[in-house]
Amino acid sequence: MDQRISIKFCVKNKIKCAAAFRMLTVAYGEATLNQSNVYRWYKMFSEGRKDVNDEERAPRPSTSTTDENIDKVKKIVLANRRITVTGVAEDLNISIGSCHSILTNDLRMSRVHFDQKQHRVIIAQEVLDSVRDDPNVLQRVITGDESWVHGYI
């Protein structure tokens, strides 16, 4: 932004673009905008542009995250829950990043290992057994949220 302000200053003081570029090179060294950008900004300010900020750009269009691909990813994963993100990406010929984005953002899926599932089943069974053995056990739960239940026996 500082360099654009400097370029605008040079335009207002009728300093030639080549001289402005040399001055920027002395002032900013290796961090100087490249010559084509200096000339581009110089031209825009010469033509009456006032704002030194870059204009908003549209985000890069998504080519892989389509409704069709989302449906295909969902079908593949539901058919084979052991498939990897790389495997799905290769099957659909899309990037791993796009495939991962579809799985996590669009389908709200996350990777859960079999051991984690088994552990959850065991813990849930222990909680159910505690309730069967002592119906008042839930009155002794002090804290809890959607992923943890703290039981004190």
Side-chain angles (χ1 to χ4, degrees):
M1 169 114 54
D2 292 342
Q3 293 182 55
R4 286 181 243 146
I5 293 169
S6 299
I7 295 168
K8 185 176 179 182
F9 175 82
C10 290
V11 168
K12 287 190 175 249
N13 284 291
K14 299 188 183 348
I15 298 171
K16 300 253 184 221
C17 189
F21 180 68
R22 283 192 301 274
M23 289 191 303
L24 287 171
T25 304
V26 170
Y28 294 99
E30 290 187 23
T32 306
L33 291 171
N34 63 30
Q35 188 174 7
S36 63
N37 277 324
V38 171
Y39 277 73
R40 183 174 57 87
W41 279 101
Y42 190 94
K43 181 180 181 208
M44 288 190 291
F45 290 130
S46 297
E47 293 172 346
R49 181 180 174 125
K50 305 246 186 272
D51 191 11
V52 294
N53 295 311
D54 266 336
E55 294 182 10
E56 289 287 323
R57 295 185 188 112
R60 194 171 134 210
S62 174
T63 55
S64 297
T65 309
T66 62
D67 291 338
E68 182 182 344
N69 279 345
I70 292 170
D71 290 339
K72 287 179 181 178
V73 168
K74 185 176 182 179
K75 286 177 185 172
I76 290 171
V77 171
L78 292 179
N80 178 9
R81 296 199 181 249
R82 299 181 73 115
I83 195 165
T84 63
V85 175
T86 306
V88 175
E90 287 174 358
D91 286 353
L92 296 179
N93 197 25
I94 61 175
S95 72
I96 294 171
S98 294
C99 184
H100 189 267
S101 176
I102 290 171
L103 287 166
T104 56
N105 299 335
D106 298 312
L107 297 176
R108 302 277 187 236
M109 292 183 173
S110 61
R111 187 173 34 164
V112 179
H113 294 286
F114 183 74
D115 294 341
Q116 290 174 319
K117 288 181 183 179
Q118 286 297 101
H119 187 67
R120 288 179 186 173
V121 169
I122 291 167
I123 297 298
Q125 191 61 50
E126 288 176 4
V127 171
L128 286 173
D129 291 343
S130 297
V131 171
R132 280 192 203 108
D133 294 343
D134 181 6
N136 296 322
V137 73
L138 293 178
Q139 293 174 354
R140 293 196 308 263
V141 173
I142 296 173
T143 61
D145 67 19
E146 61 190 35
S147 60
W148 294 88
V149 175
H150 302 280
Y152 299 94
I153 299 176

